[in-house]
Amino acid sequence: MVEFGLDTFGDVTNRADGTRSSQAEVIRDVIDEAVLADSLGLDAFNVGEHHRDDFAVTAPEVVLAAAAARTEHIRLGSAVTVLSSDDPVRVFQRFATVDAISNGRAEITLGRGSFTESFPLFGYELSQYETLFTEKLDLFSHLLTEGPVTWSGTVRAPLEGQQVYPKTAGGGIRTWIGVGGSPESVVRAARYGLPMMLAIIGGDPRRFAPYVDLYHRALTQLELPALPVGIHSPGHIADTDEHAREELWQNYQVMWDRIGRERGWPPRTRSDFENEADGGSLYVGSPETVARRIAAAVQALGVQRFDLKYSTGTLPHAAMMRSIGLYASAVAPRVRELLAEAQAPVPA
């Protein structure tokens, strides 16, 4: 069975009249999007963390707690929690609190993030990029046991038999490791016995097949049980392919060009966009088109979870709500149908 989730970074959107939404409006809209996803039976809703003016959410756990109080079934997680610039104990405590409010529905995806604004904001040196994540992930793995923690490292004070509260009712929080595509990150996820979430934001998803294979081989060599692998990729759904692409394109271009200017990328062209939508990792189009492309990626990589990053740049809230509705009502069931057909035995 494949799980279907939604991811958002709380991108600051445009209103219907073309003016820019306030960050406060965006946060309230994100909660409404989670409520809709829950009402339509999707499996997971995940909120990312950023610290810049084009994204509204800096404290995902607070947003998730508000969503927890208004939802009943959907799992609520991060996409991702930037562990390197946070304190692992506080991260665990905040998510354990969300878990309590949601009656056991909290999830965490730990990663380094694709932006670095949080490092100077919270007083961390980028020169310690690798050490910060490595040590804090090690501490977090101890916290997940929910027993007394004894740990020491170089990036925070040691713990000696320390209990951390609150405890979760179920005895643990499902925690993923977000991986962008380095073999070292893949092996690290396996070594800690944590599910792996692949951030595939461009190019043919099949190029990640060696990483999935490496992850499974590492688990086997470590004598650990099989664990799920997920995909996080962007997309947008509308009634027709043409409508979906036209609705997304200008908002997609605004986002990519803004980030590109910071990172030295060339401007994004319509041809780039179309190529990514045709054969890359941008799942945009009608429900049938998107379902077929998701099914192909899931089958090629053998993953158990697909999270659609449904918010893109200035794409308005109303368009995202329609996209969520189609993802839940038409895409997810069609993907399951296509996968079942692919797995059905061929008659003799």
Side-chain angles (χ1 to χ4, degrees):
M1 293 295 292
V2 178
E3 297 177 350
F4 291 90
L6 289 167
D7 291 354
T8 179
F9 297 162
D11 308 54
V12 175
T13 58
N14 283 342
R15 303 185 183 96
D17 62 4
T19 59
R20 192 174 192 256
S21 301
S22 70
Q23 292 183 334
E25 287 176 86
V26 171
I27 290 170
R28 292 191 293 271
D29 286 345
V30 166
I31 296 167
D32 287 341
E33 289 153 14
V35 171
L36 176 62
D38 179 62
S39 72
L40 295 173
L42 287 169
D43 296 300
F45 187 87
N46 309 295
V47 182
E49 168 195 354
H50 291 82
H51 302 271
R52 40 187 291 139
D53 69 351
D54 44 349
F55 298 105
V57 179
T58 60
E61 304 93 337
V62 179
V63 177
L64 294 171
R70 293 181 55 193
T71 57
E72 296 182 2
H73 306 291
I74 198 165
R75 288 197 291 276
L76 300 165
S78 58
V80 302
T81 295
V82 184
L83 188 64
S84 307
S85 56
D86 211 330
D87 182 82
V89 173
R90 293 296 285 147
V91 171
F92 177 84
Q93 290 176 324
R94 295 194 299 262
F95 274 97
T97 302
V98 173
D99 197 68
I101 296 168
S102 66
N103 195 23
R105 292 184 283 127
E107 291 191 343
I108 311 169
T109 300
L110 300 173
R112 302 186 233 201
S114 60
F115 295 91
T116 59
E117 288 84 0
S118 62
F119 286 79
L121 181 64
F122 298 118
Y124 294 101
E125 297 291 335
L126 282 172
S127 60
Q128 288 191 291
Y129 187 83
E130 181 66 27
T131 301
L132 284 165
F133 186 72
T134 300
E135 289 197 7
K136 291 184 177 186
L137 177 59
D138 188 64
L139 171 54
F140 202 86
S141 71
H142 288 74
L143 294 166
L144 286 173
T145 68
E146 301 200 23
V149 175
T150 297
W151 179 91
S152 64
T154 64
V155 297
R156 77 173 312 279
L159 299 175
E160 183 65 39
Q162 182 70 53
Q163 293 280 0
V164 176
Y165 304 102
K167 307 294 185 184
T168 64
I173 303 175
R174 188 185 197 186
T175 301
W176 303 73
I177 296 289
V179 173
S182 75
E184 295 79 11
S185 296
V186 172
V187 173
R188 179 189 289 123
R191 189 169 65 246
Y192 282 105
L194 297 173
M196 179 173 68
M197 181 63 69
L198 293 167
I200 308 180
I201 60 173
D204 189 334
R206 290 175 295 182
R207 66 194 173 93
F208 280 78
Y211 296 109
V212 177
D213 179 64
L214 174 62
Y215 178 68
H216 291 312
R217 286 191 288 111
L219 287 173
T220 298
Q221 291 172 10
L222 292 163
E223 299 182 342
L224 293 172
L227 293 168
V229 176
I231 298 173
H232 154 104
S233 288
H236 179 63
I237 308 153
D239 292 331
T240 66
D241 290 350
E242 181 180 14
H243 184 193
R245 293 190 184 200
E246 288 303 320
E247 195 165 50
L248 183 63
W249 160 241
Q250 62 181 348
N251 303 287
Y252 176 93
Q253 183 186 36
V254 167
M255 178 193 69
W256 275 97
D257 287 356
R258 180 182 61 238
I259 297 170
R261 285 190 294 272
E262 299 171 4
R263 301 187 179 185
W265 301 342
R268 201 72 166 176
T269 67
R270 183 62 186 254
S271 177
D272 296 331
F273 172 79
E274 296 290 346
N275 289 338
E276 197 62 51
D278 287 337
S281 293
L282 180 61
Y283 297 83
V284 55
S286 68
E288 181 67 18
T289 294
V290 173
R292 287 189 175 277
R293 297 200 57 238
I294 291 175
V298 167
Q299 190 173 14
L301 298 181
V303 299
Q304 292 73 46
R305 170 93 160 250
F306 185 92
D307 286 350
L308 183 76
K309 199 271 186 179
Y310 69 92
S311 61
T312 302
T314 52
L315 186 67
H317 170 62
M320 290 191 286
M321 293 287 271
R322 289 194 298 274
S323 182
I324 291 169
L326 291 170
Y327 180 62
S329 65
V331 173
R334 181 60 174 144
V335 172
R336 292 189 175 107
E337 184 179 77
L338 290 166
L339 292 174
E341 290 172 1
Q343 294 166 4
V346 177

